[in-house]
Amino acid sequence: MHLASLLIFAAALFVAAGSPGPSIAALVARVISKGFRDVFPFLLAMWIGEAIWLSLAVFGLAVVAQTFHYAFVVVKWVGVAYLAYLAFKMWTAPVEAKEGEMPREDSALKLFFAGMAVTLGNPKIMMFYLALLPTIIDLASVSVIGWVELTLTMAIVLVVIDLAWVLAASQARRLLKSKRAMKIANRVSATTMAGAAAAIAAR
């Protein structure tokens, strides 16, 4: 891959991925509600999901998504249902937590599944790669090494963006000390999470 092509790809991805969407909304809502310590399985799944969409686009396998359309629909609606469930838990979460005490965490497997469902259930990601990549590279001539370079570039951009969002949400969480503030934060997080579910369902 030419360096110029990778830089163009990175810049476009930075703008697209940095804009708040269902995945970012779910991520921020989770961090504000529960903290950042248990959010990394969710992040890992999001990054793997993005790599899957990128790979489908690079190797011209969008037809696979068409062929297995109903499987992707199932993943999408399972993701929507789980996000709605998380929104309900946030809305009804107790606010009388002791200092240093956090609500019971979901398992790493559940968080990983949620992150994968949010990412794979969002066809906008696939459309982004399908629309962008042909404009900067010849997909017919991409080698395995070129795919690795694109994937690493994607990973670096997403790690920087997502960790920045986690840091911002974590700092906002530190400001929430009173019961009233915690209740408002839970309700805002629940509404944001529900909005993420609705955004995915509408696509």
Side-chain angles (χ1 to χ4, degrees), residues 25-183:
L27 175 64
V28 170
R30 177 74 192 189
V31 174
I32 290 179
S33 175
K34 294 288 187 79
F36 70 90
R37 289 180 178 82
D38 66 341
V39 81
F40 292 102
F42 187 90
L43 279 173
L44 179 62
M46 285 174 55
W47 299 333
I48 292 175
E50 289 261 3
I52 290 173
W53 282 128
L54 173 64
S55 300
L56 289 175
V58 166
F59 294 114
L61 294 181
V63 65
V64 173
Q66 297 282 346
T67 304
F68 296 101
H69 172 70
Y70 292 108
F72 282 96
V73 170
V74 170
V75 169
K76 168 183 174 177
W77 286 105
V78 168
V80 168
Y82 189 70
L83 287 178
Y85 167 71
L86 289 179
F88 173 77
K89 285 184 64 178
M90 290 177 184
W91 188 273
T92 58
V95 296
E96 295 184 357
K98 297 178 181 178
E99 184 69 24
E101 181 182 15
M102 295 293 293
R104 181 176 60 86
E105 299 175 352
D106 291 319
S107 70
L109 185 61
K110 285 183 179 179
L111 286 170
F112 183 87
F113 170 76
M116 191 66 74
V118 166
T119 306
L120 293 183
N122 187 1
K124 178 182 176 182
I125 298 174
M126 180 185 71
M127 296 309 297
F128 168 78
Y129 289 124
L130 287 177
L132 174 67
L133 291 179
T135 66
I136 58 176
I137 61 175
D138 180 9
L139 291 177
S141 63
V142 174
S143 64
V144 173
I145 294 177
W147 166 75
V148 170
E149 291 172 341
L150 281 171
T151 303
L152 288 176
T153 302
M154 176 213 71
I156 292 171
V157 171
L158 293 180
V159 167
V160 170
I161 289 174
D162 291 338
L163 291 184
W165 278 108
V166 168
L167 179 61
S170 180
Q171 292 300 316
R173 176 180 168 80
R174 293 175 187 272
L175 302 176
L176 306 175
K177 297 296 184 181
S178 68
K179 291 181 182 179
R180 176 177 173 79
M182 289 179 64
K183 184 174 183 178

